[in-house]
Amino acid sequence: MDFLHYYSIDNPSIQPFQMFSIHHLILLFTVVLIIGLGLYSLKNCQKKKLHLIEKIIATSLIIGEQLYTIWIMFVCPYPIYTEILPLHLCSICFYLSAVAIFLDNEKLRKFIAVNGLFGGIIAMCYPANISGIFPTLSYRVIYFYISHTMIVFISLLQLKQITCLKIKDVRFHMTLISIFLTLAIFINYFLHTNYLFVGFPSTIGFIQIVYNIVGLWLYLPTAIVIFTMIEIILILILKKVQKVLIKDIT
């Protein structure tokens, strides 16, 4: 099995990775186990030690992204701009997590707590960029799960430390997301990419249906409205999760 090869749709793996196959379920179970053990080991952990652990994880994410970028430049069969720009939600959270933690910025910590958790979980449960393309034991799949496990874990650590999430936090979150959505849509339109899944067409069927209904000029504002609704729902859910996690901090 080619551990370093970058498989494409036109050149699929002989043994493709199937969504929710036994291998996929084992990976998801392993991720849940690792995150659970990690949180348990940090139960009653002092904030000073917790901040150090955060910095180590954030630094590892940035180093991992740089190595992954270099790998793409030499192995990816497509033009590098289709993969290399940090405009996927998880990539955005990788970089912003480092900024949030090293600057100890409360607003960015909240952004990571919500969106890093959402992006990481959705990506691992529905790995559209892996399913049917990459073998299970490949650099791409292994890095994907390690990095997304780390962003989910670091997002949960943010929930343990930040002040209570509030609906008004949506304003700051959506300001950032709107900026990234605007960049993504323009780049997708001119370069035929699919950053943040708002491509032309999108690889997500629902988003493509929305585009077909609203058209080009309403695509961006409609995407912002949809993301805003998702953000509000996430904050309402995570407010309850936060009450459980925050009890473990001394």
Side-chain angles (χ1 to χ4, degrees):
M1 186 173 290
D2 193 341
F3 182 73
L4 292 175
H5 195 72
Y6 193 108
Y7 289 91
S8 68
I9 294 175
D10 298 324
N11 180 33
S13 166
I14 297 175
Q15 297 179 340
F17 186 101
Q18 298 296 327
M19 280 178 51
F20 299 113
S21 64
I22 294 299
H23 290 163
H24 188 187
L25 292 175
I26 290 174
L27 281 170
L28 291 177
F29 175 78
T30 303
V31 166
V32 172
L33 183 62
I34 290 172
I35 291 175
L37 290 174
L39 291 174
Y40 181 79
S41 67
L42 295 178
K43 187 176 182 179
N44 300 321
C45 179
Q46 294 182 348
K47 287 190 175 182
K48 184 176 181 180
K49 181 180 178 180
L50 203 58
H51 288 170
L52 176 60
I53 293 172
E54 284 183 322
K55 290 179 180 179
I56 293 173
I57 295 174
T59 301
S60 299
L61 281 171
I62 298 302
I63 293 174
E65 277 295 281
Q66 296 307 308
L67 292 174
Y68 176 56
T69 299
I70 294 171
W71 178 72
I72 288 175
M73 293 174 66
F74 288 99
V75 182
C76 180
Y78 305 118
I80 60 173
Y81 57 73
T82 64
E83 289 277 350
I84 204 172
L85 300 178
L87 279 177
H88 294 298
L89 182 59
C90 292
S91 296
I92 291 169
C93 290
F94 289 168
Y95 287 100
L96 286 184
S97 65
V99 177
I101 289 166
F102 281 98
L103 296 183
D104 196 16
N105 186 287
E106 178 79 1
K107 288 185 176 181
L108 286 177
R109 282 181 177 272
K110 289 185 175 183
F111 181 88
I112 298 303
V114 177
N115 295 283
L117 190 59
F118 173 69
I121 291 175
I122 292 298
M124 286 190 286
C125 288
Y126 181 65
N129 55 344
I130 292 176
S131 179
I133 301 177
F134 302 96
T136 306
L137 294 178
S138 68
Y139 172 81
R140 177 65 175 79
V141 172
I142 291 173
Y143 171 71
F144 178 89
Y145 276 91
I146 290 176
S147 61
H148 286 71
T149 298
M150 291 171 69
I151 195 61
V152 169
F153 183 66
I154 206 170
S155 298
L156 290 170
L157 290 185
Q158 303 316 299
L159 283 177
K160 289 166 68 72
Q161 300 175 82
I162 58 177
T163 56
C164 184
L165 286 168
K166 299 178 181 178
I167 294 297
K168 68 179 183 180
D169 293 324
V170 171
R171 288 180 296 181
F172 177 73
H173 295 187
M174 287 312 304
T175 298
L176 286 181
I177 291 176
S178 297
I179 292 171
F180 291 123
L181 271 174
T182 303
L183 289 173
I185 281 182
F186 274 96
I187 291 171
N188 291 340
Y189 183 78
F190 289 106
L191 298 181
H192 308 292
T193 49
N194 192 44
Y195 291 111
L196 284 175
F197 300 111
V198 285
F200 301 86
S202 171
T203 57
I204 303 298
F206 167 73
I207 298 178
Q208 184 56 32
I209 291 172
V210 170
Y211 172 70
N212 292 335
I213 294 173
V214 303
L216 177 62
W217 300 109
L218 292 177
Y219 195 24
L220 177 59
T222 303
I224 291 174
V225 169
I226 292 173
F227 268 83
T228 301
M229 294 172 61
I230 294 173
E231 199 76 13
I232 292 173
I233 293 171
L234 288 172
I235 287 178
L236 290 175
I237 294 173
L238 292 178
K239 280 170 64 69
K240 296 182 179 181
V241 175
Q242 188 180 24
K243 290 180 181 179
V244 176
L245 292 174
I246 204 168
K247 293 178 182 179
D248 296 333
I249 291 294
T250 58

